[in-house]
Amino acid sequence: MPKDHDGKFTGIGASTKRREDIRFLTGTGNYTDDINLNGQAYVHFLRSDVAHGRLLSVDTAAAAAMPGVVRIFTGADFEGVGGLPCGWQVTDRFGEVMQEPAHPVLAQGKVRHVGDPIAAVVADSAEQARDAAEAIVVDIEALPAVINMKEAVQDGATKVHDDLTSNLCYDWGFVEENRDAVDQAIQNAAHVTTLELVNNRLVANPMEPRVAVGDFNRATGESTLYTTSQNPHVIRLLMGAFVLGIPEHKLRVVAPDVGGGFGSKIFHYAEEAFCTFAAKALNRAVKWTSSRSEAFISDAHGRDHVTKIELALDADNNFTALRTETYANMGAYLSTFAPSVPTWLHGTLMAGNYKTPLIYVNVKAVFTNTVAVDAYRGAGRPEATYQLERVIDKAARELGVDPLALRRQNFITEFPYATPVAVEYDTGDYHATVDKLEEIADLGGFAARRAASEAKGKLRGLGVNCYIEACGIAPSNLVGQLGARAGLYESATVRVNATGGIVVMTGSHSHGQGHETAFPQVIAEMIGIPEEMVEIEHGDTANTPMGMGTYGSRSLAVGGSAMVRATEKIIAKAKKIAAHILEASDADIELKDGQFSVAGTDKSLAWGDVTLAAYVPHNYPLEDIEPGLEETAFYDPANFTYPSGAYACEVEVDPDTGKVSIERFAAADDFGNIVNPMIVDGQVHGGIGQGIGQALMEGCIYDDNGQLLSASFMDYAMPRADDLPFYEVDHSCQTPCTHNPLGVKGCGEAGAIGTPPAVVNAVIDALQSAGKPVTHIDMPLSPARVWAAMNP
Amino acid sequence: MYEFDFVRPATIAEAVQALAADEAQALGGGQTLLPTMKQRLAMPEALVSLTGIDELQGVCPDGEALAIGAATTHADVERATADSYPALAALAGQIGDPAVRNRGTIGGSLANNDPSACYPAAALASGATIVTHRREIAADEYFEGLFSTALEEDEIITHVRMPVPQAAAYEKFVQPASRFALVGVFVARFEDGVRVAVTGASEEGVFRWEEAEAALSQSFSADAIAGLSVDPDGMIADLHGSKAYRAHLVQVITKRAVQAAAA
Ligand SMILES: Cc1cc2nc3c(=O)[nH]c(=O)nc-3n(C[C@H](O)[C@H](O)[C@H](O)COP(=O)(O)OP(=O)(O)OC[C@H]3O[C@@H](n4cnc5c(N)ncnc54)[C@H](O)[C@@H]3O)c2cc1C
């Protein structure tokens, strides 16, 4: 329970208002595009407008003579410079490592997707750069575009990368040893439900497009990159070590306020490397600001799986086996974490909330002439949940049983639980979340609501689903075995000032999540001081310890835990100082409400007296401990965390137009302990919004020539406020995580994971209620698609 | 955007003169033209803003009709016709978002003739007259196809004369991304018959559905068109709907417009 200070609740459990919103809502944030350096030049990237072609020549002569042009770079300028690295190596089911193509900063030899940068014009103004880019003459011999994944892996298919053996990045089997047993179980099953589906390709579209400003200081030899990143330390390591060869002490990466990422700002992009490289080459700051149109063809996309899933059940409706085969689109190049998404973030989740004993997941990752695909809110887990929860729903309909009852019957109920797909769930109570869902969604009242809708000529459907996700990623040694080329710990430095105020430098990064509010709540709780005494700094490699950044709902679970560990060290040291001054033994010192006291006496010292003593060490145990009060901790978790939940969606379908409207939406989540319930509500709301966007509206569509048809908001449908319902959100079911000090699990992706199947299940339910024999519609369930399904 | 000159004349005559220059183009609210210029798809050498010309502003009665100044914004049309022509006001109020409605103009919309735009349906169904600084053009003669009209280069729409029907309604089924009309139908019932104009659907741009008009002129009810359909062949097919879907929507949305107008 949060502490009540004169009617003001603080500490863990308080819905403290987000302090950062003052600057976000009043236009006083400091975003990368707000950063303008003395004498900076601007870069415009000339991007390919064909999906696939051989680059015969790039003639920059006329363009270079245009007003304001500083210099034009092409692929040739990057010969000998490293390519963009991939941070995860997957080993295929035959024990071979994945095929890993080169990814030059600017195209060399070939262009491989619409948007692939061919040349970069640096000029005195952005408009001059763009003018000159139009004067570059590019000769491209167009090649057939590789778009369809199944065709791409046929023998003789055109290759995206000539030097690879095929367009297959890897053919992954998991757990390979179970392959035959799963086949057997499916053959012998009493019932098998099969479903083929597409997990639609999405564009993340954070409100702030990407921006990069490169700078170089000739006096110190230091490069600085300001960038819209979720993980500046990772960018520094990848770019410094693998692309440009700059050691960390000569490279600073700053990610200031970032206006949303949703995964798309995790990755190291060519434009970042370019600006850093060019700033040094020109001895002049170089800035790039993406337009929205550019974002559509250069930000990594998400999802894009084509899947066949089969669920086997015995005569009593127990799940006996599950087999899935997925084609996962990698796009033209491997983005930073792309290979991990359809494998370790997807296959390991296929057990869901169920005790299915045998599971086999096959994933074929395929290169195509499209923008690279990588993690997007949920990353792999939405794809897993969607297929699993859709096939279970279909099974329930085929068997004529209640969809929730079928799920309940197969729930995992004992924890810890080792799944057949290599992860161990530490805690959970899936019946509790379903019980809660039944209550908050008023499932009992559905029949009456359906009758009311039908009286208006509308079809009403109810869709439910459960999800489990693995987040708080994750133990470094485990991910290392799985192919990660990075550790996944997190760091924090807690610096206590002389008068007691605290600054925490965290390796996590906030791009809207609310760290600046939630993290102080934890420290305030631990020490018993007001939250206002704690400030959070993040996003600058120059003043934060090496950290892995924010994604995979890991900030509080991993970064928060690092901060707890560092604060524990602070408290231990502060107790020693207090013990010395109070002439007691440290073991007898208690810290409560910001007061150190000697147990069983009335002797006490305030927090500020002790912190002052640390920096004015006149009466101080100098022979035992150093002055000062600053501690750093690196926290590497023992396991992922496993939030879970149950969602219900009620839709109305207009049978005349196919239009779906969401009438009710309820989410019962188990996130373990909650630090700030309001922020958690907001995270869930946002996730559900994106989930509804994926389910009903968003779809990134390429034509056969590799042209992106949904290349702007005129054709790519983002959900707006009036497309979304009011949500009933509950997180009172709490089974705390057993292995991190806060007992927290992570809530950032849940909504995006749990929502799409609930929506689609609801629409199918609505159509079947009217006797339509529709068993599946691929997302997005636009009016046209729903109508077409109803009128084959 | 490329560089361009900008003038904001105070009279129609000055505007006409300014537009006589090479590569000069009229600017209404800029809600279509400016995004096109930002994408460098249009490159006028001079923009002649029409929004400073008083004669082009506002709505006033003109006999049985309304005369709407070409530079009147969607928001002003919505306010000014709320009582005199509610179906038109409702249409104006559904265009884009507040920013678009506070800048975009009826003249710009009609000159642009986007196949998914709303005003063309109102003008055609109302039997409007498009009045330019040179001549008057009946709506039936004015809309020529996708983004094409009877306007000559440098011809300025000064106002639109909109007869006010006895009953009317505009029903808009939005394209989910742009929220322009995927199919929009304006139904207008006059003493001497019913006019039905459909936008968003056809490859030829806004059109009158004459079969429906005939049936509705007999009996102004949704049932009257229950058995009618348009030929999917000429319909638009894109990411947001097939030809068959659009043809189907034309009928459904027309019925709804009739129901709304009859209510
Ligand atoms: C986000 C967004 C959403 C929108 N949604 C809708 C919608 O739902 N429905 C809809 O119908 N429209 C919609 N629009 C378009 C909007 O209505 C525009 O305002 C309109 O199409 C053009 O009007 P304008 O005054 O802005 O013209 P401008 O952009 O200034 O000009 C458009 C063209 O008309 C010419 N022109 C302008 N005025 C005159 C004149 N008086 N005489 C001759 N030629 C002239 C210009 O030279 C130019 O070629 C939307 C626009 C945006 C940006």
Side-chain angles (χ1 to χ4, degrees), chain B residues 14-27 46-48 50 154-156:
Chain B
E14 283 167 35
V16 169
Q17 200 183 2
L19 280 172
D22 247 10
E23 303 293 326
Q25 190 169 356
L27 179 71
L47 286 184
V48 180
L50 304 180
D154 72 19
E155 189 169 7
I156 299 176

Side-chain angles (χ1 to χ4, degrees), chain A residues 182-321:
Chain A
V182 170
D183 289 349
Q184 279 290 315
I186 288 178
Q187 228 158 40
N188 300 334
H191 184 89
V192 178
T193 297
T194 305
L195 185 59
E196 294 188 34
L197 46 78
V198 173
N199 204 292
N200 41 329
R201 181 186 272 245
L202 302 175
V203 183
N205 281 321
M207 200 178 282
E208 176 205 30
R210 290 189 296 120
V211 182
V213 187
D215 191 23
F216 181 67
N217 183 328
R218 213 162 56 142
T220 62
E222 194 192 32
S223 293
T224 301
L225 170 69
Y226 301 88
T227 182
T228 48
S229 174
Q230 301 177 213
N231 42 342
H233 277 285
V234 175
I235 302 304
R236 183 175 69 161
L237 183 63
L238 291 176
M239 182 174 78
F242 298 99
V243 190
L244 301 179
I246 310 174
E248 286 99 319
H249 69 290
K250 292 293 182 195
L251 179 58
R252 175 180 167 209
V253 176
V254 185
D257 284 335
V258 173
F262 311 110
S264 71
K265 292 174 182 167
I266 298 172
F267 324 120
H268 177 39
Y269 286 98
E271 296 85 356
E272 295 172 322
F274 178 83
C275 289
T276 311
F277 177 87
K280 189 171 179 180
L282 301 170
N283 191 27
R284 185 171 173 185
V286 174
K287 180 173 193 170
W288 171 70
T289 302
S290 173
S291 68
R292 185 61 68 183
S293 308
E294 251 180 314
F296 271 96
I297 54 170
S298 68
D299 290 5
H301 294 171
R303 316 278 194 258
D304 205 351
H305 287 190
V306 175
T307 295
K308 178 179 177 190
I309 180 168
E310 295 153 287
L311 175 66
L313 301 94
D314 68 15
D316 297 323
N317 296 343
N318 297 310
F319 303 162
T320 56

Side-chain angles (χ1 to χ4, degrees), chain A residues 574-737:
Chain A
K575 280 184 175 174
K576 283 202 170 100
I577 302 169
H580 176 88
I581 299 170
L582 293 169
E583 297 176 333
S585 134
D586 354 328
D588 291 335
I589 302 291
E590 289 171 353
L591 171 61
K592 191 162 179 283
D593 294 337
Q595 292 286 325
F596 295 89
S597 55
V598 184
T601 74
D602 58 0
K603 291 206 290 184
S604 78
L605 262 183
W607 167 253
D609 295 328
V610 174
T611 62
L612 191 64
Y615 291 95
V616 188
H618 296 163
N619 178 14
Y620 196 86
L622 283 168
E623 56 290 352
D624 292 335
I625 51 174
E626 296 165 4
L629 206 45
E630 174 166 329
E631 298 288 350
T632 295
F634 286 75
Y635 178 82
D636 206 318
N639 192 353
F640 291 88
T641 63
Y642 300 94
S644 62
Y647 284 22
C649 174
E650 274 180 42
V651 298
E652 267 187 3
V653 178
D654 178 346
D656 294 331
T657 63
K659 186 169 166 54
V660 176
S661 72
I662 297 190
E663 298 298 310
R664 292 169 73 93
F665 200 100
D669 293 293
D670 175 359
F671 296 131
N673 294 335
I674 303 273
V675 170
N676 183 317
M678 180 198 70
I679 289 179
V680 171
D681 281 354
Q683 288 290 315
V684 177
H685 287 184
I688 296 173
Q690 280 177 311
I692 290 174
Q694 167 161 33
L696 296 184
M697 305 181 71
E698 298 181 47
C700 184
I701 311 281
Y702 281 94
D703 72 9
D704 293 344
N705 298 319
Q707 293 296 329
L708 181 60
L709 300 179
S710 51
S712 78
F713 289 144
M714 293 298 278
D715 286 303
Y716 187 92
M718 291 293 282
R720 307 188 199 192
D722 63 353
D723 292 313
L724 304 174
F726 287 97
Y727 313 118
E728 207 58 64
V729 168
D730 182 280
H731 24 80
S732 62
C733 298
Q734 297 177 357
T735 59
C737 170

Side-chain angles (χ1 to χ4, degrees), chain A residues 127 134 656-657 720 722, chain B residues 1-2 40 177 179 245 248:
Chain A
E127 287 292 308
E134 287 179 358
D656 294 331
T657 63
R720 307 188 199 192
D722 63 353
Chain B
M1 224 182 249
Y2 298 100
R40 299 188 162 211
R179 294 198 176 186
Y245 182 56
H248 167 77

